[in-house]
Amino acid sequence: MINKKSLRKTKKATTPNIKALYLHIPFCHALCPYCDFPKLLLIKRYVKQYIPSLIKELKSLKINHPLKTIYIGGGTPTSIDLLPLLKALQPYISRDTEFTIEGNVLDFNPDLLKQYQQYHVNRISLGVQAMDNRLLKVLGRDHLVIDVMSKVALIKRYIKNINVDLIYGFNELSNDALKKELAVYQKLGVKHISTYALEIHPGTKFYLKHKKPMDSAKVRTQFDIIYRYLTKHGYVRYETSNFAKPGFMSKHNLVYWRDEEYYGVGLGAAGYVRGYRYQNTRNIEEYIKGRYRLNKEKVTKEDDKKYYLMLLLRTKDGINLADYKKRFGTNLLLEKPVITSLIKRGLLTKNKTHLFTTYEGSMLLDIILREIF
Amino acid sequence: MAFDRSHIRNFSIIAHIDHGKSTLADRLLESTNTISKREMKEQVLDSMDLERERGITIKLNAVTLSYKADNGEDYVFNLIDTPGHVDFTYEVSRSLAACEGALLVVDATQGVEAQTLANMYLAVDNDLKVLPIINKIDLPSADIDRVKKDITDRIGISGDEALLVSAKTGQNIHDVLEAIVRDVPAPTGDDNAPLKALIFDSYYDSYRGVVILLRIKEGHVKEGDTIHLMAANKDYLVTEIGIRTPKELRVKELHTGEVGYLAAQIKDIKDVHSGETVTLKDHPTATPLPGYKKLQPMVYCGLYPVDSKYYDDLKEALDKLSLNDASLVYEAETSQALGFGFRCGFLGLLHMDVIQERLEREYHLNLILTAPSVIYHVNLSNGEKIKVDNPSKLPDLSKINSIEEPYVKAEIMAPKEYVGAVMELCQNKRGIYQDLSYFDDTRMIIKYAMPLSEIIFNFFDKLKSFTKGYASLDYELDEYKASDLVKMDILLNGDTIDALSTIVHRPSAYNRGVAMVRKLKEIIPRQQFEVPIQAAIGGKVIARADVKAVRKDVLAKCYGGDISRKKKLLEKQKEGKKRMKQVGSVEVPQEAFMSVLSLDDD
């Protein structure tokens, strides 16, 4: 006789292993004027209670296999002692696990890097944002250009795979300054560059101070500059806003953009596990008490189609039409005739196997999606 | 058996929006136990949602109350509601014609306002006894002395006689009931004369056909009679007679002075008009009641579903609405830009608004309305005369000898300090000065002949803002006059959009063209390509503005937590897109087609 329990077991056994795990560390030394991620100032009392709660949430997932990627993001993970967490993560790490920690430039020192290395961290993501002291001040960062130069050199001695975050599309940044900044990253030999057009979100300092957003045509021009410079220098634009040297794409972020499942733990973190997308609470008190989930939503087939289109079209390769058919049982081009007109309008293009955006289409992706949805 | 006529009181309530007409009506119903507190839905008389939201009464209603007065005798009150807007002046006058008295309600915190005056004059025209009532005396900001003086000065009846009430708390409502008994005259008329009854409202009921609300002026009517509608020249067999309390209560007969309803298997509401006289086929009255007018639509516009697959739904909805609205006319038309739809005729702009809202709200239709137009008389060079109610149908200029447009006689009453401003406005709107006279010490009447098309283009709103809301406007169709008119086309991305064509006065065409392209530039969102917007007359471009192309429309970051949020945002934006119409290669929001109404081109 089959009982419910054994049924559940069978189902679990057939679910492919989830590859990725995201952990959120919400603490920061200072709050950046543009940041709308879940974050709070470093308060010792909270840190002391937060890490155990985070580890508890991690264990509750009952992950019983090694992960392909682990990503500790923030906030500023390097602002606190991660040792207990690093220890707790060791069972999920195998030889080829990509393990990234996000950090603040000034936090890095040889002891910290040795510790990270010892616990198999093999990728560092640096919140550099700009390479001009005046602009760094505008963006509310506490480091200087010279700090970036010396810290990148230091990190490279321990961990070669480095990403830098770059912010563009704000009025103080001139096109010339942007070009210079790109040249520095290239010379520093960073493997991966994430670009962010400045968005002014409610609740941020920029929003409260009525900072004037840059005209969208100018923002586009700045991205054109970034694209031209980086592709000329051997970086591949493998996602809307991300560039990498061959072999250095972020495996972790590709999980998101390929609409694959991932675990997410920590304050405000999101996850996609066994057909459900969930969102954690942004309230630290609640989180510490172990009330993790804010909401949880079953992803229907129709929802999933939207997620799939929205995410896959961000990638360089776009949508593998055979994969789409396998996943949803339909022929995308027949199902969404508007795609033909989007191709005519020069926003999408296709080859024998894939449908993907043109360069113009990649900059107008939301227009495309509003029509396909 | 007829009720003793000396114990009948027929009256209306006249009030400015929000001065408490509906609340007072509710209180009267409640304190005469017509409706118990338990049954009381706030503001019973305004039964359409739309009316309740806007605080205006569109559809008339009537209700019969019974009241035992302090003198120990029983009275029957017929409260007849009136709509309150310039589009419906005629209906107001017909419902007032069914009464002997009117309660004039003035807000103790506001004083007399323009709309009150306009209806007040209709009451005076109909020889009604007017009882002033100052409402909202419970409010801390009530200024009773000032409002009394206001009534004396502006309305010309003594404010000291006004009853002081709070319809909200029920304070002094009893005094109102007694005043109605004491001061409103009882109806007169000969119950044995041939039937003469006034229709003041009607509505369609799927079981009984058109239900007529009527006031018997002379004679009587009973079930089984064959009635004759004098203007329509049609006969019907009466199947049901009753009064509304407000629930319908069947009675055998209605007698002189009484108010009630009548059903007679009338299939088409277009045969039944307010102001019509009902008499008996076999025993007819010699002369109909005075004041009957057949209402003609004055304003036409195109009505289209945003998504053309809802054409049949729109047709069905219009069919249903017109069952209850004799003034709504429509016929199918086709637009190159908008596809299949209807050209609809309305009494005025409010009527148009109300129909639009009802179609959207009650029938869940997503609609595009084109700018309203009057009916032009066009004299062609070949001697033929044609009528044009759709600017895009105006023939080529070379084939036109002259174009005539409807003028109205506009009567504006305003406090004398605003006369200069009002005249300037009328002058700007091509008005032809007729007369200026004192109405009383403080107010003047300004008369202009004006093109109706100018009245449609936000004249009323401007008049209000020029006079701080104190002016009242009344107009009636006068005559057609030749004007120097041309058709102005709008081109989007080089294509003429028929639904955006308007007929304009040639000397102001340039200003209107500039204002129009500027306005459209504000409304039309950026698209993938730059979109030139041009205004042209006879193929010659007179104004241009460009909607710049959108260069970047993509979320810069999309990581774990952003994904669900982003999908929801896109879905929401997709919903918003449904309010856009794809016109050629350009996406145009619905409101663009009406934008000409909100132009500031002076």
Side-chain angles (χ1 to χ4, degrees):
Chain A
M1 204 183 95
I2 299 169
N3 61 30
K4 272 189 184 164
K5 220 174 197 175
S6 68
L7 254 180
R8 208 177 296 145
K9 233 179 199 165
T10 324
K11 190 157 185 243
K12 205 170 183 180
T14 56
T15 311
N17 284 344
I18 296 174
K19 291 180 197 164
L21 166 66
Y22 176 82
L23 303 105
H24 192 76
I25 304 293
F27 305 103
C28 292
H29 304 290
L31 302 187
C32 298
Y34 51 83
C35 176
D36 74 325
F37 280 100
K39 80 269 161 180
L40 33 142
L41 278 176
L42 219 157
I43 296 166
K44 289 233 165 63
R45 181 170 63 86
Y46 282 149
V47 178
K48 231 171 88 186
Q49 295 172 291
Y50 182 77
I51 296 295
S53 190
L54 181 69
I55 293 172
K56 205 173 121 199
E57 192 196 356
L58 172 64
K59 295 214 162 129
S60 75
L61 297 172
K62 300 203 173 17
I63 303 170
N64 57 8
H65 55 86
L67 295 159
K68 293 256 166 33
T69 85
I70 297 174
Y71 194 108
I72 305 180
T76 313
T78 52
S79 68
I80 63 166
D81 178 14
L82 292 176
L83 187 59
L85 185 60
L86 293 173
K87 282 181 176 161
L89 285 168
Q90 294 310 301
Y92 313 119
I93 293 174
S94 70
R95 269 167 49 111
D96 57 352
T97 301
E98 178 192 275
F99 187 0
T100 308
I101 291 182
E102 248 175 40
N104 185 17
V105 173
L106 293 177
D107 288 335
F108 287 91
N109 59 57
D111 287 343
L112 185 83
L113 285 158
K114 269 180 217 153
Q115 183 197 64
Y116 287 178
Q117 205 180 29
Q118 185 192 339
Y119 288 97
H120 305 104
V121 175
N122 51 24
R123 188 169 178 271
I124 295 294
S125 177
L126 273 180
V128 173
Q129 318 306 5
M131 283 301 265
D132 175 311
N133 288 344
R134 193 180 60 89
L135 297 175
L136 284 165
K137 205 174 163 192
V138 168
L139 296 173
R141 306 298 299 196
D142 54 1
H143 60 262
L144 299 171
V145 170
I146 189 162
D147 298 321
V148 180
M149 308 297 282
S150 63
K151 295 293 186 178
V152 169
L154 171 71
I155 294 165
K156 276 167 79 176
R157 286 178 21 211
Y158 298 86
I159 297 167
K160 296 271 182 291
N161 190 352
I162 298 174
N163 166 65
V164 300
D165 290 345
L166 160 173
I167 296 181
Y168 69 100
F170 56 105
N171 289 314
E172 293 84 351
L173 176 67
S174 69
N175 294 348
D176 281 344
L178 178 62
K179 282 177 202 160
K180 278 184 198 152
E181 182 179 341
L182 292 164
V184 177
Y185 298 143
Q186 194 248 330
K187 284 201 192 92
L188 281 173
V190 298
K191 305 294 187 196
H192 190 284
I193 298 174
S194 284
T195 68
Y196 293 82
L198 183 74
E199 288 168 9
I200 298 170
H201 294 281
T204 62
K205 198 169 155 194
F206 278 163
Y207 183 85
L208 295 171
K209 291 201 152 179
H210 304 288
K211 184 172 174 59
K212 220 177 133 219
M214 186 185 242
D215 174 78
S216 79
K218 286 186 183 158
V219 179
R220 165 68 185 272
T221 304
Q222 293 202 335
F223 188 84
D224 292 345
I225 290 170
I226 294 170
Y227 174 78
R228 272 199 299 271
Y229 186 91
L230 292 180
T231 47
K232 193 172 145 197
H233 290 88
Y235 293 87
V236 176
R237 183 191 183 209
Y238 71 103
E239 190 263 355
T240 307
S241 307
N242 283 271
F243 296 83
K245 285 280 172 75
F248 288 94
M249 295 187 293
S250 163
K251 286 180 196 154
H252 185 81
N253 289 334
L254 275 171
V255 167
Y256 301 144
W257 301 323
R258 288 179 175 153
D259 196 17
E260 295 169 350
E261 298 197 332
Y262 56 95
Y263 298 107
V265 297
L267 189 75
Y272 179 21
V273 175
R274 282 184 276 283
Y276 286 85
R277 285 192 181 265
Y278 64 84
Q279 180 83 45
N280 274 357
T281 178
R282 279 185 161 219
N283 179 325
I284 183 95
E285 306 266 1
E286 291 285 307
Y287 189 85
I288 286 169
K289 285 178 195 148
R291 293 201 273 270
Y292 303 126
R293 295 285 182 271
L294 181 65
N295 57 52
K296 186 172 160 182
E297 225 175 47
K298 172 104 185 111
V299 177
T300 65
K301 195 169 168 184
E302 280 313 300
D303 286 339
D304 195 28
K305 276 183 190 170
K306 290 179 184 169
Y307 283 123
Y308 190 87
L309 291 163
M310 170 186 128
L311 294 165
L312 273 289
L313 285 175
R314 292 183 75 87
T315 63
K316 182 180 192 319
D317 293 341
I319 293 165
N320 180 325
L321 295 165
D323 267 3
Y324 186 92
K325 181 142 199 217
K326 210 166 119 194
R327 184 160 174 154
F328 299 110
T330 47
N331 178 324
L332 177 61
L333 301 178
L334 296 179
E335 188 185 352
K336 305 276 186 187
V338 69
I339 289 173
T340 313
S341 92
L342 290 163
I343 291 174
K344 272 192 207 132
R345 283 159 60 191
L347 296 176
L348 289 175
T349 183
K350 69 180 174 69
N351 57 27
K352 281 196 178 126
T353 54
H354 286 75
L355 176 76
F356 48 96
T357 56
T358 60
Y359 180 72
E360 191 65 24
S362 75
M363 301 313 294
L364 301 175
L365 181 58
D366 288 2
I367 291 184
I368 297 175
L369 294 171
R370 284 193 287 267
E371 297 199 17
I372 302 185
F373 263 31
Chain B
M1 240 293 291
F3 191 82
D4 174 10
R5 205 183 316 149
S6 67
H7 285 62
I8 296 175
R9 298 292 180 271
N10 298 320
F11 63 96
S12 282
I13 305 177
I14 296 173
H16 186 76
I17 291 170
D18 290 339
H19 280 199
K21 177 168 85 167
S22 303
T23 317
L24 178 63
D26 291 350
R27 216 51 68 223
L28 296 177
L29 263 56
E30 202 183 274
S31 51
T32 53
N33 295 320
T34 305
I35 282 194
S36 70
K37 264 219 164 105
R38 191 171 46 81
E39 294 173 300
M40 195 77 200
K41 221 170 21 161
E42 276 289 294
Q43 303 188 355
V44 172
L45 281 186
D46 289 355
S47 53
M48 269 168 55
D49 282 355
L50 197 59
E51 295 181 5
R52 224 174 274 182
E53 247 165 62
R54 295 188 165 195
I56 53 172
T57 310
I58 298 149
K59 199 72 193 142
L60 303 184
N61 234 319
V63 56
T64 301
L65 297 64
S66 49
Y67 175 61
K68 194 176 195 70
D70 289 354
N71 62 15
E73 295 180 34
D74 290 319
Y75 287 82
V76 165
F77 289 178
N78 290 305
L79 167 55
I80 296 169
D81 205 8
T82 57
H85 187 273
V86 62
D87 285 358
F88 301 108
T89 304
Y90 175 69
E91 277 95 335
V92 177
S93 82
R94 290 311 84 202
S95 45
L96 291 177
C99 302
E100 278 79 33
L103 309 182
L104 174 81
V105 179
V106 182
D107 187 323
T109 67
Q110 307 279 330
V112 175
E113 309 222 17
Q115 195 193 5
T116 323
L117 286 177
N119 285 343
M120 168 71 194
Y121 300 129
L122 290 174
V124 171
D125 284 349
N126 282 290
D127 294 325
L128 264 51
K129 169 75 184 175
V130 176
L131 311 185
I133 290 175
I134 299 178
N135 187 25
K136 305 194 188 179
I137 57 164
D138 58 307
L139 294 183
S141 53
D143 186 349
I144 294 165
D145 289 337
R146 185 182 70 82
V147 173
K148 275 185 178 171
K149 188 172 178 316
D150 209 26
I151 291 175
T152 310
D153 293 349
R154 292 183 180 278
I155 297 183
I157 52 180
S158 169
D160 290 327
E161 288 169 17
L163 298 169
L164 307 180
V165 310
S166 166
K168 201 173 101 194
T169 66
Q171 189 184 349
N172 295 343
I173 292 300
H174 180 73
D175 295 352
V176 176
L177 295 166
E178 285 297 314
I180 292 167
V181 169
R182 187 180 63 238
D183 296 336
V184 174
T188 55
D190 181 357
D191 197 49
N192 294 316
L195 176 67
K196 199 180 253 194
L198 174 72
I199 298 180
F200 60 86
D201 195 14
S202 59
Y203 57 91
Y204 188 82
D205 177 294
S206 37
Y207 296 102
R208 296 174 295 178
V210 178
V211 176
I212 290 171
L213 299 186
L214 76 178
R215 154 73 196 270
I216 314 292
K217 291 285 192 180
E218 282 179 357
H220 57 271
V221 61
K222 57 182 190 302
E223 246 180 67
D225 281 346
T226 298
I227 52 166
H228 177 69
L229 301 188
M230 295 180 80
N233 193 21
K234 298 227 166 159
D235 300 333
Y236 300 96
L237 179 71
V238 176
T239 54
E240 184 180 333
I241 285 183
I243 58 170
R244 293 148 57 100
T245 68
K247 272 177 260 166
E248 288 182 349
L249 184 70
R250 280 179 84 150
V251 298
K252 292 231 152 42
E253 308 174 322
L254 282 174
H255 287 270
T256 298
E258 293 183 328
V259 171
Y261 73 89
L262 174 159
Q265 299 289 336
I266 304 172
K267 290 199 180 60
D268 192 349
I269 201 150
K270 302 236 172 341
D271 290 336
V272 178
H273 300 117
S274 289
E276 165 80 284
T277 306
V278 183
T279 190
L280 293 179
K281 182 173 179 250
D282 296 332
H283 185 36
T285 182
T287 51
L289 292 159
Y292 171 75
K293 275 198 287 192
K294 187 169 186 307
L295 287 181
Q296 299 287 359
M298 303 241 261
V299 174
Y300 281 77
C301 83
L303 256 173
Y304 292 83
V306 175
D307 186 335
S308 21
K309 70 173 181 249
Y310 294 106
Y311 173 84
D312 288 333
D313 296 4
L314 175 58
K315 181 171 188 313
E316 201 176 301
L318 284 169
D319 286 345
K320 280 191 185 151
L321 282 184
S322 68
L323 279 181
N324 259 321
D325 185 344
S327 327
L328 172 66
V329 300
Y330 56 97
E331 61 180 37
E333 76 167 4
T334 316
S335 149
Q336 269 180 341
L338 302 178
F340 293 105
F342 296 90
R343 179 120 300 237
C344 302
F346 306 96
L347 295 177
L349 292 183
L350 179 80
H351 187 209
M352 184 172 94
D353 270 6
V354 167
I355 297 294
Q356 178 196 2
E357 285 209 40
R358 292 191 64 183
L359 288 169
E360 293 190 334
R361 200 177 295 192
E362 294 168 29
Y363 296 90
H364 309 290
L365 291 163
N366 195 4
L367 296 176
I368 289 175
L369 271 75
T370 64
S373 165
V374 299
I375 303 172
Y376 295 95
H377 291 175
V378 181
N379 301 309
L380 300 177
S381 3
N382 63 9
E384 207 185 322
K385 278 185 179 214
I386 57 167
K387 289 183 182 179
V388 173
D389 61 20
N390 179 347
S392 71
K393 302 270 160 67
L394 192 74
D396 193 75
L397 277 178
S398 62
K399 292 182 183 143
I400 294 175
N401 250 349
S402 64
I403 304 175
E404 293 168 27
E405 63 177 329
Y407 270 65
V408 295
K409 278 192 223 158
E411 238 185 72
I412 297 156
M413 179 173 312
K416 60 184 175 192
E417 59 268 35
Y418 297 118
V419 165
V422 170
M423 289 179 74
E424 193 189 326
L425 175 64
C426 291
Q427 222 70 44
N428 287 342
K429 295 280 187 182
R430 298 195 280 136
I432 301 165
Y433 172 80
Q434 308 279 314
D435 188 30
L436 178 66
S437 58
Y438 270 94
F439 178 78
D440 56 27
D441 287 354
T442 55
R443 283 164 302 162
M444 300 193 81
I445 294 177
I446 306 141
K447 289 186 183 167
Y448 267 85
M450 286 182 62
L452 177 60
S453 66
E454 298 288 347
I455 300 239
I456 290 176
F457 289 133
N458 76 5
F459 179 78
F460 197 59
D461 288 343
K462 282 219 162 125
L463 182 65
K464 289 259 154 171
S465 72
F466 272 52
T467 61
K468 301 203 167 77
Y470 266 114
S472 65
L473 166 70
D474 197 8
Y475 59 83
E476 57 180 342
L477 202 58
D478 187 15
E479 55 176 347
Y480 271 76
K481 284 188 197 185
S483 293
D484 187 9
L485 300 173
V486 285
K487 181 172 68 152
M488 184 171 81
D489 290 321
I490 297 293
L491 291 80
L492 293 183
N493 214 10
D495 300 324
T496 301
I497 307 302
D498 57 0
L500 286 170
S501 295
T502 48
I503 291 175
V504 299
H505 189 224
R506 193 193 301 267
S508 53
Y510 174 75
N511 282 348
R512 188 158 290 176
V514 170
M516 185 82 187
V517 297
R518 269 196 204 137
K519 184 81 188 177
L520 287 171
K521 186 186 168 179
E522 270 170 38
I523 294 176
I524 295 175
R526 291 185 174 198
Q527 328 239 330
Q528 193 188 340
F529 307 102
E530 183 172 275
V531 179
I533 306 170
Q534 294 160 304
I537 288 173
K540 188 173 162 254
V541 172
I542 57 165
R544 172 177 175 148
D546 297 330
V547 178
K548 295 262 176 292
V550 55
R551 306 259 346 263
K552 184 171 181 293
D553 186 359
V554 57
L555 189 74
K557 65 182 178 73
C558 193
Y559 301 94
D562 305 316
I563 297 172
S564 296
R565 217 170 24 243
K566 178 64 181 167
K567 171 175 154 284
K568 291 203 173 84
L569 182 66
L570 285 165
E571 284 170 341
K572 214 172 128 196
Q573 292 169 338
K574 172 91 185 175
E575 267 315 295
K577 246 175 83 77
K578 288 190 182 153
R579 298 191 75 81
M580 305 265 224
K581 184 80 184 177
Q582 187 80 32
V583 177
S585 54
V586 185
E587 267 183 354
V588 183
Q590 286 164 306
E591 66 261 35
F593 298 94
M594 289 280 273
S595 56
V596 67
L597 283 190
S598 49
L599 291 185
D600 213 358
D601 56 351
D602 304 327

